[in-house]
Amino acid sequence: MSEHVIEISKNGHDSTTPLVLLWFSARWCGPCQAMAPVLELVEEVYSDTMTVIKVDADQQQTLVKEFGIRAVPSFVLLARGGIIDARSGATGYKDLSQWLDHHLSNTPD
């Protein structure tokens, strides 16, 4: 996951990639741990168009509140202009990549 310092808020991001995927997770969350390999693959496959940032929901309460996160795992997709979409719950790579591809095809660079 990204270790770069990227400014993120509900109003957008300053990443060099068109999209940022925030993955809200917690150490104690079994489904979050199961999502780790899926998100590693997403990060690899979408590296040219998307930055994946893992957010520890217990450590980053300000972001949890700002983005209205109520459950983990949760995913927030950000463009430079703000939130595009959000979803929660564990899912497989195929479902997650279809969601991402849909938004990538509708997001200007």
Side-chain angles (χ1 to χ4, degrees):
M1 303 306 124
S2 178
E3 293 181 15
H4 305 289
V5 176
I6 297 172
E7 292 293 322
I8 53 173
S9 75
K10 287 175 63 175
N11 298 323
H13 67 81
D14 69 352
S15 175
T16 57
T17 59
L19 297 178
V20 169
L21 177 63
L22 300 177
W23 169 31
F24 288 86
S25 181
R27 290 183 192 153
W28 49 263
C29 170
C32 298
Q33 303 312 315
M35 288 297 303
V38 173
L39 271 294
E40 288 173 9
L41 183 56
V42 165
E43 186 172 40
E44 181 181 319
V45 171
Y46 292 90
S47 63
D48 292 340
T49 56
M50 186 175 310
T51 300
V52 178
I53 300 174
K54 184 178 181 182
V55 180
D56 185 317
D58 292 327
Q59 300 293 320
Q60 299 292 328
Q61 285 295 306
T62 301
L63 287 176
V64 167
K65 290 177 185 173
E66 180 176 357
F67 287 96
I69 302 303
R70 296 177 180 253
V72 289
S74 285
F75 306 94
V76 177
L77 194 55
L78 287 173
R80 290 188 183 100
I83 297 172
I84 295 175
D85 200 1
R87 63 188 289 175
S88 62
T91 186
Y93 176 78
K94 182 178 178 183
D95 187 45
L96 190 59
S97 66
Q98 286 174 343
W99 180 66
L100 296 171
D101 289 342
H102 167 77
H103 290 296
L104 278 168
S105 66
N106 294 310
T107 303
D109 289 339

